[in-house]
Amino acid sequence: MYNAILRLRALRSYADRPVSPTHVDQLVEAARWTGSSKNLQNWSFILVDDPQQQEALSAAGDFTDPVRAAPLTIALVQEPDGYEFDTGRVAQNIMLAAAALGLASCPITLHRDEVAAEVLGLPEGRRCRYAVAVGYPAESAAPRAFGGRKPVEELLHRNRYGG
Ligand SMILES: Cc1cc2nc3c(=O)[nH]c(=O)nc-3n(C[C@H](O)[C@H](O)[C@H](O)COP(=O)(O)O)c2cc1C
C-alpha cells in the first residue's frame, strides 16, 4: 500500500479496449467508500463512456486529452453542501484502486464547470469541476518526465512556518 502511494502517477495513454464491468464496479466501490466530512457523502459519480459525451466533456477543460483518449471518464459531482476536499479524496481513492487493478488513470480539471454541468445534465446546485480518466495502460504509457517532487526541506516545517 505504501509503495503504491509513492508509485502512483498520472498516466495519459490507454489501450483501445473498454474497462471491464467488474473493474468499473470496483472503482465505483472505492469511490463510494471514501470518507467525507461528517460522512455526508455529498457527491455522485457519472460514468462517461460514450465517445460523443467524452468529446463534449473534454471541451470543459484545458488539458483534457486523457478524456478523449480513455475509454472511461468518471465525472465527480459535488452535490449541494459538498466539499472540494472530499472530491479530492474520492479522486485519489479511484486512482489508487485503478492502479491496484492494473488500470492507468489521470485526474482532470474541468476549468469551465458550467460547460461540464450542461454536458452532464446536472440539476441546479450540482457542480463538476474534476474527473478521473481511466483505462488499461497503453504499452507506451509512461509518466511525464518532469513529474519529480520538491525536496522535503522545501516543504516541511515544524510547529510553525519556517521552524
Ligand atoms: C487537482 C488536479 C488536477 C489535475 N488536472 C489535470 C488535467 O486537467 N489534465 C492532466 O492531464 N493532468 C491533470 N492533473 C495531473 C497532474 O498534472 C499530475 O498529477 C502532476 O503533473 C504530477 O504528475 P504525476 O501525478 O504523474 O506524478 C491534475 C492533478 C491534480 C492533482
Side-chain angles (χ1 to χ4, degrees), residues 65-137:
D65 283 352
V67 174
R68 284 188 214 93
L72 173 68
T73 293
I74 306 176
L76 309 176
V77 179
Q78 219 174 302
E79 295 283 326
D81 301 322
Y83 294 104
E84 210 159 67
F85 185 91
D86 293 342
T87 307
R89 290 198 66 194
V90 171
Q92 186 77 352
N93 271 5
I94 290 173
M95 291 187 67
L96 284 168
L101 298 170
L103 288 153
S105 68
C106 183
I108 297 296
T109 308
L110 301 167
H111 301 85
R112 292 169 290 288
D113 57 271
E114 70 286 355
V115 175
E118 175 70 29
V119 170
L120 297 169
L122 299 189
E124 189 71 25
R126 276 81 176 165
R127 183 176 190 226
C128 179
R129 182 156 165 92
Y130 297 100
V132 182
V134 190
Y136 298 101

Side-chain angles (χ1 to χ4, degrees), residues 8-12 62-66 95 106-111 130 143-144 146-149:
L8 186 66
R9 290 294 171 272
L11 295 173
R12 299 174 176 85
D62 292 336
F63 308 105
T64 53
D65 283 352
M95 291 187 67
C106 183
I108 297 296
T109 308
L110 301 167
H111 301 85
Y130 297 100
R144 285 193 174 154
F146 51 85
R149 295 296 187 263

